[in-house]
Amino acid sequence: AIVCGLLAETPDLDILVSYDDPVDAFVLHRGWSHSLLVQAALTPLFGEAMVRFFTVLRGQRPATYLAVYLCLSTHALLDALTIYGTQLLWPLWGEPFAVGSIFVIDPLYTLPLLVAAVWALCLGQWSRRIGTVIALGLIISTAYQGWAFIAQQIVTGRARAMLEGADMEPYRLLATPTPLNSYFWRVLALRNGHYLNIYLPVFGGPEQITAYRHPRGVAMAPCLSGNGAFEKLAWFSRGYFRLDWRQNEVVFSDLRMGLTPNYVFQYAVAQYPIAKTRKGAMPPLPTAPPRRLGGLGGAWEDIEWLAANLFLGPAIRPAEADARIDIAALAQPPEVGISSTDCKAPGKITP
């Protein structure tokens, strides 16, 4: 059990690979080591090692090989259900799979498996009873994944119906659960120069929904043509990103992971020199070595906000309060923020 537990973690050893570029470290994680094809090729290597090391397995080579492959592949398949992205078919297909139906940490999924595993490790030998417990843990956890996928379809349908009712189609929609649960969701609605964060539970009426509108700053995207870091990030995020000025840097934020404005993955991808040219004009937007920006703010406020929406009813998210819009006002034209495409820094740069 311990060996298989360690084996199940081997796909994540790719984080030990050192990259000079932080963007490569981001987009190449969950790559070849998470490929079901690579894992199938490595299964005989790990499986045969286990058969030769453990005497009890020497007459069970097919079952051992199958167990090894399940340890590796279920890791990758579970990762693909999160929103990050997993290259399940590398090298035949480079596009990451990212269903987004479950948060990366969900206690309700983990606990049934944890209870069964700890119980099994505490026993001296196998029994039919522990076999039943383990099977039950697998059934419950798998059923929970099924529920999360169905919940994702429900909230996506509710958000789409709301936008259609406000004559706001077409939008690109992406539904992801808020942290640590599968009942309260964020639907990310993308359209041209702005995006909506729509927060809603799986069940409930329109009064349970809150929405916030933000600029995307995508008018700056043509100015980043040829910027390798930006192009990689835009591809990996599947277009769900925003661009902002911070001091003299252009910052890329992946909208899928984290909550506005505290996104988990933010990178400075271009930079203006502080000094201006002799004529006072800004030079063309240059490429600078990409830099990951760290630090998440408002964690406690978000915990209180999440708890309120889970147990007490709709609550306004403090970090987005200024961007809140009424559901009835969704059809009003938004202010999309940065709209210039002259590749110059704005007159007032956001600190």
Side-chain angles (χ1 to χ4, degrees):
I2 293 172
V3 169
C4 286
L6 294 173
L7 185 63
E9 292 304 310
T10 56
D12 278 342
L13 293 181
D14 64 341
I15 63 172
L16 300 179
V17 178
S18 178
Y19 295 98
D20 294 332
D21 188 332
V23 171
D24 285 341
F26 174 50
V27 303
L28 297 179
H29 177 49
R30 295 191 184 177
W32 66 270
S33 65
H34 287 65
S35 166
L36 299 178
L37 306 177
V38 172
Q39 291 169 353
L42 292 176
T43 290
L45 177 65
F46 289 117
E48 192 61 29
M50 291 185 65
V51 167
R52 297 187 177 224
F53 187 80
F54 295 102
T55 304
V56 71
L57 298 179
R58 289 181 182 171
Q60 303 183 58
R61 183 173 277 105
T64 302
Y65 279 32
L66 177 60
V68 166
Y69 186 66
L70 288 174
C71 286
L72 296 170
S73 61
T74 53
H75 175 131
L77 291 169
L78 288 170
D79 277 353
L81 293 177
T82 67
I83 200 59
Y84 186 98
T86 309
Q87 296 182 45
L88 293 179
L89 298 179
W90 184 95
L92 298 182
W93 183 261
E95 292 293 325
F97 291 82
V99 177
S101 59
I102 192 138
F103 191 68
V104 66
I105 301 173
D106 192 322
L108 292 179
Y109 173 76
T110 305
L111 284 175
L113 294 171
L114 182 62
V115 168
V118 171
W119 190 348
L121 287 170
C122 290
L123 295 179
Q125 60 183 4
W126 181 265
S127 68
R128 180 172 295 181
R129 185 179 184 187
I130 192 59
T132 301
V133 170
I134 290 175
L136 186 60
L138 285 170
I139 291 170
I140 293 173
S141 60
T142 304
Y144 184 76
Q145 290 284 11
W147 145 256
F149 181 78
I150 292 171
Q152 183 184 45
Q153 309 314 304
I154 292 173
V155 296
T156 300
R158 292 186 64 199
R160 180 173 287 111
M162 181 189 72
L163 293 170
E164 289 175 349
D167 194 26
M168 291 294 288
E169 283 287 304
Y171 265 95
R172 286 182 62 194
L173 300 184
L174 179 65
T176 61
T178 54
L180 307 177
N181 78 103
S182 60
Y183 183 73
F184 188 63
W185 292 67
R186 174 176 71 117
V187 176
L188 179 60
L190 209 63
R191 186 179 187 184
N192 299 329
H194 69 278
Y195 68 97
L196 304 177
N197 283 329
I198 304 171
Y199 298 103
L200 69 166
V202 178
F203 304 111
E207 70 280 358
Q208 301 290 322
I209 302 175
T210 56
Y212 308 83
R213 182 154 46 198
H214 301 278
R216 291 184 61 210
V218 290
M220 285 190 288
C223 306
L224 295 169
S225 177
N227 184 305
F230 167 71
E231 291 173 353
K232 289 177 187 177
L233 291 167
W235 165 77
F236 188 75
S237 67
R238 296 187 289 167
Y240 290 95
F241 66 86
R242 65 179 287 172
L243 296 170
D244 296 281
W245 280 106
R246 294 186 192 171
Q247 298 182 3
N248 65 320
E249 295 180 312
V250 178
V251 175
F252 177 102
S253 300
D254 191 320
L255 299 177
R256 301 171 302 162
M257 289 165 277
L259 301 174
T260 307
N262 305 313
Y263 288 106
V264 177
F265 295 103
Q266 301 185 43
Y267 295 86
V269 294
Q271 185 179 63
Y272 273 119
I274 298 298
K276 295 184 178 181
T277 61
R278 280 187 304 173
K279 295 181 180 180
M282 300 299 292
L285 191 59
T287 298
R291 182 170 59 90
R292 182 173 177 183
L293 306 177
L296 296 176
W300 182 249
E301 281 187 343
D302 279 341
I303 291 173
E304 293 180 327
W305 164 79
L306 180 59
N309 279 281
L310 284 172
F311 303 111
L312 301 176
I316 305 302
R317 184 165 178 258
E320 298 184 78
D322 293 342
R324 188 193 175 204
I325 56 174
D326 292 331
I327 303 301
L330 275 174
Q332 295 179 359
E335 296 181 6
V336 298
I338 298 171
S339 58
S340 173
T341 57
D342 60 5
C343 304
K344 293 182 180 180
K348 183 179 180 181
I349 298 176
T350 304

